[in-house]
Structures are given as structure tokens and as C-alpha cells.
Amino acid sequence: MSVTQIKTVKVSVIQDFKEITKMRLALVVVFSSVAGYLLGVEVVSFSTLLLLVIGGYCMVGASNAFNQIIERDLDKLMDRTKNRPIPSGRMSVNTAFAIATLFTLMGISVLYSINPKTAMFGAISIFIYVSLYTPLKTKTPLSVFVGAIPGAIPFMLGWVAATNDFGIEPGTLFMIQFFWQFPHFWAIGWFLFEDYKKGGFFMLPTGKRDQGTAIQVILYTVWTLVTSIIPVFGVTGDLYLTPVSGIIVLILGLFLLRSAIQLYYKRDAKTARQLMLISVLYITLLQIVYVADKFIRIWI
């Protein structure tokens, strides 16, 4: 085998690893955990932060790998997934299972080294995602509700890693990301409706791209907006947001709501895609504002 061929194989292996663990998604999830940690910690420990990043990535990567093993036959039917490592034949099920199992064990062990509660929530997340959410996707639109639970854990997981405690503060972080996931994933379900239909997935609440789905997108966007500004009122323990930052978060939420309302009127794939992109920007900027608000208060 020539040097060029060896390099090509290495690149292919790395690319398949990134795809089986969904690296981009995993990094977004890890970002949420880091934000939660910075909100909860009194003195930043970079060693703990590194463990959280590694453990968090392992848990998300394992969930995604198990998911692709279970859905390998359905992935072959959809355009967006047919070129994934398993359905394309580039990776065997046994290899994927070995990666998923190794990442699960590593993830739980690394998170346990931070504290037992962090490992427990990490384990709960992977269990719900793999054992409940994944099989329900072809059974009922309620799968989105079930999937929103592990999806909301990372933000609160960081706080638990920082404090070894679960109370109203991480509970609030959980609720923010929980409600946010409905407009986010329903937007994805909307513009990928035809492709999901090929795999038999039920992602939209009414099963259709109709007025009922659009109304629910708006309602859950409103809940996201309301939940995100609750810390301004000083009722969420040590999790606090100054009025100025609260206004910024509210403005971000209004942009998200505007996009959700546009989907109600236009009901097309382009608007749904825009809503999805805006929702990602929203949750990212929200977490940045929360963290910045805390440290600005400390420095001042």
C-alpha cells in the first residue's frame, strides 16, 4: 500500500469516527455542559473542565453510535443518512458496537471521577436516548418529548459537575433547554419531512406540516422564552441573571418567536430551516449571555 493510500485510509477512518459519534452535534452538547459548569462553579478547575469535556463527548458519541446501530436499516432509506458509516458498508456493526460500548464505559468512568451525580445523569441520558427515544421515533410523535429529556441534561450536567448538587438551579437550566428542543426539532422534522417519511419516522406533533404543528412550535417557543428569563426575578437560587442580560435574552427569544410565527404563515421548508438555524444561534447566545453575566458581576 502506497503512502497516499495509507493517508487516504487514515482520513476515511477519522471521518467515519466523526460521523458515527456525530462530532459536530457532540461538540455543541459539550459546549452546553461547559456553560452549565461555568455557571455553577465558584473557582474554575481546568482539570475538572477537561474531564467534563471528555466524559460528555464520550456519552454523546456512545448514544449516537448506538442510535446508528439500531437504525442502520432505516438509515439506508433516507438521503441524509444513507452514506453514514454503517449503512454505506464502511463500518461493521461490531466495530460500531465496540466504539459505543467503549465510549459508554469511558464516559461514565470519567464523569464518575468528577462526582457520582454527574455520572448518574450521564448514564440516565444515554439510557433514555438509546432505549426509549430511538425505538419510539418510528412509533409516535411523542418521541420528541422523550428525546428532549436527554437533550436537556447537558446544560444542567455542567452545574451538577461543578457543585455535586441538584436543585432549582440545574433544574432551571434543564427546563430552558428542554422547552427549546421542541421548536428546534420540529423545525428539522418539518424541512426533512419527506426524507423522514421514507424511514417511517414520526417527528411532527400532528404528523403533518400543518397549522396544528405550527401553533405548537409557537407555544413551545413562548415557553422557552418565559423560562429563559425566570432567573432575572431572583427565584432560582444561585442562578441569577441581571435585568440587562435578561433584556438581551428576551430580545433573542423574540427573534426566535418571530421565526416561529413566520413558519405559521409560510409553512414551507425554507422557513423551517431558517427556524432551525436561528434556534441553534439562540441557545448558543443564551448560554454565552448567562455565563458572561455571571463573570461580569464577579469582576465588578
Side-chain angles (χ1 to χ4, degrees):
M1 185 178 290
S2 67
V3 174
T4 301
Q5 288 175 320
I6 292 174
K7 288 182 178 179
T8 301
V9 171
K10 287 182 178 179
V11 170
S12 178
V13 169
I14 293 172
Q15 185 62 34
D16 286 345
F17 173 80
K18 290 166 63 176
E19 289 186 24
I20 200 70
T21 60
K22 293 187 181 178
M23 179 174 282
R24 285 187 296 178
L25 173 61
L27 291 177
V28 170
V29 173
V30 167
F31 180 85
S32 293
S33 296
V34 170
Y37 173 81
L38 294 175
L39 287 172
V41 75
E42 293 183 5
V43 179
V44 176
S45 168
F46 289 100
S47 60
T48 301
L49 196 55
L50 180 61
L51 290 172
L52 180 62
V53 169
I54 295 172
Y57 187 95
C58 284
M59 297 303 288
V60 179
S63 296
N64 290 327
F66 279 128
N67 172 268
Q68 291 181 55
I69 292 170
I70 296 169
E71 295 181 348
R72 61 188 182 276
D73 293 330
L74 299 178
D75 282 348
K76 293 178 182 179
L77 306 175
M78 298 182 288
D79 294 334
R80 70 181 187 88
T81 56
K82 64 184 180 183
N83 290 320
R84 283 176 174 175
I86 300 176
S88 67
R90 299 193 309 273
M91 181 182 292
S92 69
V93 171
N94 288 341
T95 299
F97 184 78
I99 293 172
T101 302
L102 177 62
F103 267 42
T104 300
L105 297 175
M106 285 178 57
I108 293 176
S109 298
V110 171
L111 293 180
Y112 188 85
S113 69
I114 298 175
N115 61 60
K117 287 189 178 70
T118 303
M120 178 188 71
F121 282 117
I124 289 173
S125 175
I126 192 172
F127 173 79
I128 294 176
Y129 189 90
V130 175
S131 301
L132 300 178
Y133 168 66
T134 296
L136 284 175
K137 286 166 67 178
T138 57
K139 306 296 183 184
T140 172
L142 289 175
S143 62
V144 175
F145 177 87
V146 176
I149 297 172
I153 285 178
F155 201 13
M156 57 154 267
L157 189 73
W159 186 289
V160 176
T163 64
N164 193 24
D165 182 55
F166 181 83
I168 191 170
E169 300 92 347
T172 302
L173 298 180
F174 175 89
M175 293 308 297
I176 292 171
Q177 197 145 328
F178 177 79
F179 285 122
W180 165 82
Q181 286 182 88
F182 290 92
H184 174 71
F185 281 107
W186 284 336
I188 295 174
W190 191 296
F191 73 80
L192 289 176
F193 182 80
E194 295 299 333
D195 209 28
Y196 274 129
K197 191 175 180 180
K198 295 176 184 177
F201 291 113
F202 301 92
M203 302 301 291
L204 299 181
T206 66
K208 301 176 182 178
R209 293 179 287 188
D210 59 7
Q211 185 181 66
T213 289
I215 289 174
Q216 292 201 49
V217 169
I218 292 173
L219 290 176
Y220 277 88
T221 300
V222 170
W223 277 113
T224 303
L225 190 154
V226 170
T227 309
S228 68
I229 61 172
I230 287 177
V232 174
F233 302 100
V235 296
T236 51
D238 293 331
L239 178 65
Y240 177 69
L241 199 63
T242 61
V244 172
S245 294
I247 291 173
I248 295 174
V249 169
L250 178 60
I251 292 172
L252 292 174
L254 291 175
F255 274 105
L256 181 64
L257 181 59
R258 176 176 177 271
S259 185
I261 293 173
Q262 286 180 329
L263 180 63
Y264 174 82
Y265 285 110
K266 296 183 178 180
R267 299 182 209 167
D268 58 11
K270 180 180 178 181
T271 306
R273 185 183 291 273
Q274 289 175 344
L275 173 59
M276 183 274 291
L277 294 173
I278 290 173
S279 70
V280 173
L281 182 63
Y282 166 81
I283 198 66
T284 303
L285 292 178
L286 177 144
Q287 291 166 351
I288 291 173
V289 170
Y290 265 65
V291 172
D293 180 83
K294 172 190 173 177
F295 284 95
I296 289 173
R297 282 187 282 115
I298 292 175
W299 292 333
I300 292 177

